[in-house]
Amino acid sequence: MADMLTPEQRSWNMSRIKGTNTKPELLVRRLLHAKGYRYRLHGKAGKSRLPGRPDLVFAGRRKVIFINGCFWHFHHCRVGQHAPKANAAFWQAKRTRTRNRDADQRQQLMAAGWEVLTVWECELKDGSALEAHLVEFLGARQADARQAHSRQTMPAGS
């Protein structure tokens, strides 16, 4: 099927697709904030930018989270495997470059000592599984760890 839009209209539409503060990103941010986790946004770790500009940066833990759209980043789910019929070669090349760039940035981060988690858009459907996955990746909150430590060091009978 031919594209119903002119190249200028298609370009305008594509330019309106956000790269930051997307609905999936906001959902994960709200979930983590409600659980007491604090983070920096969009790859800022101190004064420098991290490779790939991760969506969430937990500098004290040396952990980052990317929140990726399944289609744009070529995920293995049904949505990610959908191949547009119009201009198929362009989309195949574009999505393959994105996947390769993601892998390269992930390697750079890991080489620099960062742990990396990618949350896929399709994983947002099951909120409890997503929450458990995020908490497992991030570990105990700092306040929870301090409380557990203080309970262990408190004298008996206090």
Side-chain angles (χ1 to χ4, degrees):
M1 179 172 165
D3 195 351
M4 303 295 284
L5 301 175
T6 67
E8 293 79 20
Q9 290 170 323
R10 176 65 57 208
S11 178
W12 186 85
N13 284 351
M14 296 303 287
S15 73
R16 297 300 176 261
I17 297 172
K18 297 189 320 182
T20 58
N21 301 321
T22 61
K23 286 182 184 179
E25 184 183 328
L26 293 174
L27 184 116
V28 172
R29 282 166 41 183
R30 276 189 217 107
L31 188 152
L32 289 173
H33 195 272
K35 298 288 291 172
Y37 293 97
R38 299 300 180 255
Y39 44 82
R40 293 191 185 269
L41 297 176
H42 309 121
K44 294 177 185 169
K47 296 182 185 210
S48 63
R49 288 231 182 244
L50 295 173
R53 295 186 62 211
D55 296 303
L56 303 175
V57 177
F58 300 85
R61 300 168 187 269
R62 300 284 295 172
K63 295 183 180 192
V64 297
I65 297 177
F66 288 96
I67 303 158
N68 289 347
C70 294
F71 173 78
W72 299 106
H73 294 265
F74 226 152
H75 190 227
H76 60 76
C77 72
R78 183 182 56 80
V79 173
Q81 294 305 304
H82 170 73
K85 293 187 180 20
N87 210 0
F90 166 80
W91 284 108
Q92 176 70 24
K94 179 175 180 61
R95 294 169 70 208
T96 299
R97 281 192 313 270
T98 300
R99 182 189 304 179
N100 294 340
R101 184 189 67 226
D102 290 347
D104 180 52
Q105 292 165 345
R106 185 181 186 96
Q107 287 298 328
Q108 289 177 38
L109 286 164
M110 290 190 310
W114 291 85
E115 288 183 59
V116 181
L117 174 69
T118 300
V119 174
W120 294 97
E121 190 174 17
C122 62
E123 294 175 324
L124 303 178
K125 294 175 184 169
D126 185 352
S128 59
L130 173 64
E131 182 177 328
H133 188 57
L134 291 168
V135 169
E136 179 185 339
F137 173 71
L138 293 171
R141 288 184 352 206
Q142 306 294 0
D144 292 342
R146 281 192 296 269
Q147 288 173 353
H149 179 70
S150 66
R151 273 187 248 129
Q152 291 172 350
T153 59
M154 228 186 302
S158 297

